[in-house]
Amino acid sequence: MEIQDFLKENENIPHKSKYHRETYYEHCMLVLNNAIEMDANRPTLIAAALHDIAKPRTQGFNKIGDACFYGHENVTEEEVANFIPKEDKDFGQVVALIQCHMYPYQVNGPDLWGEKARVALAEAIEKYGALYENFEKNLNLLHECDERGTVRTKEQEVNMVEKINNAGKWLDEHNLLEPERGVLVNLSGRSYETWSPEQLEATKEFASKVVDVSYPNIPPTASAEELIKIVDRTMDDVMSYNPKTVLCGAEMVTTHTFVNKLQKHGIKVINAASERVSHEKLNDDGTVTKEFIFEFKQFRDYDTGKIELEKIPLERTNFINLSNHPSTKWPKDQLKTAKKYSENIIDIAYPNIPPTATQEQIKEIIKDTLEKVIDANPRVVMCMGENITCHNFVKELEKLNIQTVATVTKPVTEKVRNEDGTERTIKTFKFEGFRDYDCINKFIKQEYLKYLKNLSDGHKRAVEHEKQNIEKERSR
């Protein structure tokens, strides 16, 4: 059943209320039209279309004969929860929005309504098992669409026909329950226009179209809060294409974060595997110059499957350098910073990842390397290497509550004088510090703990406010 079919069950049923001259169906379509015009995201669009579909089953009448619909949001929530597939990535947010959409109408003042909605959200989190990004923003948008979708005058009744038709046409063109993901988003520092014909041909396995989203500049001094803003802005850009697949690879920590977020949305995340090949170039003067180029070999999936580790660290004492840069060659400031984590620094060479390796071979490399790391009793692991294996190393180490970090550097250019008196420019990278792979999640958790404390304090204020109202009523 499509959303249109679900809505049309209420097509000719009037509200019988002084607040609504329109039918239930017309109201939902008007609210949806408002959400479309206000560029709402997918969960808010679905909630706008379905937020009142259970009203006919909750209709009652007050003393003066006006219809009322007490608890319709709860019944609607249950019906929508049975209508939308549980595996849908936006399932929880849709039903939570519907469950909370009446709170602005039920309390006095924006502060109290905010607190009451937060309590409802906490209940939704417990029920559906997720914390939803931008929930309050989406809920406020849904409320505004709902208010504007109510027909109270004859003039509004005349003007509503075109809006309802627009919403109907939009629904016919957009399958909200089964979003099309026919686009591959190239989230990297290299435009797909520079890809080889072989790489472009290989994209056809994943999507019918490729679009570029520039990988964001990550300042070496960026805080976790700044990284969150950068990641969220970039995710909005990526998700605006409703992608089937995303090619992702650049700065290590944000790449790890992007991959986690995209996989949670059910999106395949890949990277290109290339081989460094030397070619001889014949110059005009007859000399031969050797050039190195990277030849595309295949796309590889970040998801390597479940990795079963047979070991756990017996002690957590050492700083493990999992890279191809031996600690004996580190600059003094990097060595000094690493020793703040542990005096003992152990080098483990980053494994060679053949560009033609299969997913199973990659999985074995990851498992074997992780067991070496675990044997070295890690307290902290600095992980720097090929993107896909690095992401999986970090993911598995995080499951063992082992801290993982990446180096942060700043490019520095300087001029050097040659023996013949000429100058040349060389580029080096200055060590700026270590960045925790989990810094964004840690920051969010800290903020959420503050949020829960404020929620508790706000709930106490709301209860006290209600007590004062009761006392005022009694004293009259």
Side-chain angles (χ1 to χ4, degrees), residues 46-261:
I46 297 175
L50 301 178
H51 72 289
D52 276 352
I53 52 100
K55 266 189 171 180
R57 289 165 289 290
T58 60
Q59 188 182 67
F61 294 90
N62 59 22
K63 292 178 181 179
I64 61 173
D66 271 336
C68 48
F69 311 93
Y70 298 124
H72 76 271
E73 66 275 19
N74 298 319
V75 180
T76 300
E77 175 212 340
E78 292 174 6
E79 292 188 8
V80 171
N82 290 324
F83 173 64
I84 297 177
K86 301 290 188 295
E87 62 273 15
D88 190 298
K89 65 184 178 67
D90 293 320
F91 171 84
Q93 173 124 211
V94 171
V95 293
L97 284 169
I98 289 171
Q99 183 189 35
C100 298
H101 84 271
M102 286 301 294
Y103 284 110
Y105 299 102
Q106 295 175 353
V107 293
N108 298 316
D111 292 338
L112 282 179
W113 114 248
E115 294 299 341
K116 196 163 184 180
R118 289 188 185 97
V119 172
L121 174 58
E123 292 172 355
I125 291 168
E126 184 177 355
K127 188 171 182 179
Y128 299 111
L131 175 63
Y132 305 110
E133 298 173 8
N134 301 319
F135 180 82
E136 290 183 49
K137 175 183 173 184
N138 295 340
L139 188 56
N140 283 324
L141 180 60
L142 177 61
H143 173 54
E144 185 176 347
C145 294
D146 196 11
E147 277 278 86
R148 289 171 50 193
T150 301
V151 178
R152 294 188 173 94
T153 66
K154 285 186 177 180
E155 184 181 359
Q156 289 175 322
E157 194 171 4
V158 171
N159 294 333
M160 75 179 183
V161 177
E162 183 179 354
K163 295 179 180 180
I164 292 169
N165 289 337
N166 288 341
K169 289 177 184 176
W170 190 90
L171 272 180
D172 289 338
E173 295 170 1
H174 297 77
N175 189 345
L176 278 174
L177 296 185
E178 293 181 356
E180 179 63 32
R181 287 182 174 165
V183 175
L184 186 153
V185 170
N186 169 35
L187 180 59
S188 72
R190 184 177 165 224
S191 171
Y192 78 90
E193 293 178 353
T194 66
W195 291 358
S196 67
E198 293 80 10
Q199 186 168 352
L200 286 169
E201 182 65 26
T203 63
K204 293 178 181 178
E205 177 187 347
F206 304 101
S208 57
K209 179 182 177 183
V210 183
V211 295
D212 287 331
V213 171
S214 296
Y215 203 96
N217 175 49
I218 310 296
T221 56
S223 66
E225 187 172 8
E226 290 168 331
L227 289 178
I228 289 171
K229 292 176 182 177
I230 292 170
V231 168
D232 284 349
R233 282 198 302 269
T234 307
M235 281 294 295
D236 285 344
D237 289 344
V238 171
M239 297 304 289
S240 69
Y241 290 101
N242 207 9
K244 177 181 179 182
T245 308
V246 174
L247 182 144
C248 182
E251 191 271 340
M252 307 299 292
V253 171
T254 47
T255 291
H256 179 66
T257 305
F258 284 132
V259 173
N260 283 336
K261 283 179 170 287

Side-chain angles (χ1 to χ4, degrees), residues 428-446:
T428 59
F429 291 89
K430 183 180 180 296
F431 174 77
E432 291 288 313
F434 292 113
R435 180 175 283 151
D436 195 321
Y437 275 94
D438 200 34
C439 64
I440 291 177
N441 281 334
K442 286 178 179 175
F443 179 82
I444 290 172
K445 287 172 185 175
Q446 289 170 358

Side-chain angles (χ1 to χ4, degrees), residues 209-326:
K209 179 182 177 183
V210 183
V211 295
D212 287 331
V213 171
S214 296
Y215 203 96
N217 175 49
I218 310 296
T221 56
S223 66
E225 187 172 8
E226 290 168 331
L227 289 178
I228 289 171
K229 292 176 182 177
I230 292 170
V231 168
D232 284 349
R233 282 198 302 269
T234 307
M235 281 294 295
D236 285 344
D237 289 344
V238 171
M239 297 304 289
S240 69
Y241 290 101
N242 207 9
K244 177 181 179 182
T245 308
V246 174
L247 182 144
C248 182
E251 191 271 340
M252 307 299 292
V253 171
T254 47
T255 291
H256 179 66
T257 305
F258 284 132
V259 173
N260 283 336
K261 283 179 170 287
L262 291 164
Q263 287 178 338
K264 284 180 181 177
H265 282 289
I267 296 169
K268 180 188 283 290
V269 192
I270 60 174
N271 205 353
S274 303
E275 184 175 21
R276 190 169 181 258
V277 179
S278 64
H279 284 265
E280 290 186 346
K281 178 184 177 183
L282 181 63
N283 300 316
D284 294 337
D285 60 3
T287 60
V288 175
T289 304
K290 185 174 281 189
E291 291 183 331
F292 290 95
I293 63 169
F294 288 89
E295 286 187 355
F296 171 78
K297 293 298 177 182
Q298 64 172 328
F299 286 119
R300 277 204 289 251
D301 197 326
Y302 275 88
D303 184 2
T304 57
K306 189 174 182 181
I307 296 172
E308 300 285 352
L309 293 174
E310 298 170 3
K311 301 179 178 182
I312 59 171
L314 298 176
E315 298 179 19
R316 297 170 186 259
T317 55
N318 301 320
F319 185 104
I320 309 302
N321 167 31
L322 180 58
S323 75
N324 285 323
H325 302 279

